[in-house]
Amino acid sequence: MDYIPPVGGAADAPYIDGNPNTGTEGSIPPAAAIEHPMREIVNAITALGGEADSGNLTQLGAVIAMAIAAGESPGVPTGTVISGYYTSAPMGYIENAGVELSRTTYANLYNHTAAEGLIVPEAAWQAGEYGMFSNGDGATTFRAPDLRSEFLRGWDHGRGLDGGRALGSLQSDQLISHDHAIYQRTSVDTMQAGTNTTQNTLQATSDNNDKLTAATGRCRNPAPQRRNHALH
């Protein structure tokens, strides 16, 4: 919907109150200035699940409040993930902390995740598929992903750099525990027919300490956990 100026006014002309005492003529509103806002409000009410009632003057606020309580933010697609400096989720959002949700209260979110194929059995979720939604109790609830302390990674979606990944899937780190040998070089000088030649030998030594010393070379530490979840 756009601004509709008074009859005869420029594109952004204001409306003026008439004043018979001063002879000021008031603005004449065109029909669209009255009709369009009403239709816009009715459309918003019905789109948010309400039923327009000419005798109810609180409907618009009520359906907006219901949408926010159900985890919807007007203008933001259902299923959108944001990040920010919050100690609790902002209005219209839920924290991806593995919480169990009502399929009725969060019907739009449940329907969206089901349509996208993002719901796995509760047992699979508990076994480690934390980047997905679960089917909860199988009847009235479902469970949100748990992305706490996880890295988010853009879904490959055909690019070929991280193929074979499903949306929402978990990928463990590839930095496994391994050994490195550190070689100590020694030099032996010999004299042959008046010519200096240098004989170099390599000595590979190692121990099991988590440190490097001059003559030892195994640095063996447990592999850190750098997991990530694929998001679009």
Side-chain angles (χ1 to χ4, degrees):
M1 187 177 70
D2 199 1
Y3 177 76
I4 301 174
V7 173
D12 199 35
Y15 283 77
I16 300 174
D17 291 329
N19 188 337
N21 295 327
T22 61
T24 302
E25 184 177 351
S27 300
I28 301 175
I34 299 173
E35 178 186 354
H36 289 188
M38 286 195 297
R39 290 193 181 278
E40 184 83 3
I41 293 171
V42 169
N43 289 338
I45 291 172
T46 55
L48 292 173
E51 184 175 348
D53 180 0
S54 60
N56 187 342
L57 303 182
T58 63
Q59 278 186 292
L60 183 59
V63 294
I64 291 175
M66 288 175 56
I68 292 174
E72 301 173 30
S73 295
V76 179
T78 300
T80 298
V81 176
I82 65 171
S83 59
Y85 290 101
Y86 307 108
T87 55
S88 60
M91 183 177 293
Y93 291 84
I94 59 169
E95 183 180 3
N96 280 315
V99 294
E100 198 167 3
L101 305 169
S102 165
R103 298 188 186 186
T104 301
T105 303
Y106 296 94
N108 284 354
L109 181 59
Y110 177 75
N111 292 335
H112 166 76
T113 56
E116 292 288 340
L118 299 175
I119 298 179
V120 298
E122 175 70 11
W125 193 98
Q126 295 291 349
E129 294 193 44
Y130 308 123
M132 306 290 280
F133 292 79
S134 90
N135 63 355
D137 65 3
T140 62
T141 67
F142 68 114
R143 190 180 300 280
D146 192 349
L147 303 182
R148 294 172 297 176
S149 297
E150 305 283 6
F151 293 99
L152 303 184
R153 181 173 187 174
W155 184 32
D156 185 276
H157 203 197
R159 186 180 182 189
L161 297 180
D162 187 36
R165 299 285 305 281
L167 186 63
S169 62
L170 172 67
Q171 181 185 67
S172 296
D173 68 86
Q174 300 300 307
L175 184 62
I176 61 176
S177 181
H178 60 282
D179 297 335
H180 288 278
I182 303 298
Y183 296 94
Q184 179 181 4
R185 172 165 292 178
T186 62
S187 296
V188 178
D189 292 331
T190 60
M191 297 294 294
Q192 294 181 351
T195 303
N196 256 337
T197 62
T198 301
Q199 178 182 346
N200 294 321
T201 61
L202 295 179
Q203 297 177 344
T205 58
S206 62
D207 61 19
N208 288 319
N209 295 326
D210 294 336
K211 61 183 179 179
L212 294 179
T213 61
T216 63
R218 175 173 296 177
C219 183
R220 188 168 190 173
N221 291 316
Q225 295 298 309
R226 297 187 180 90
R227 310 187 310 177
N228 66 80
H229 288 282
L231 289 184
H232 195 270

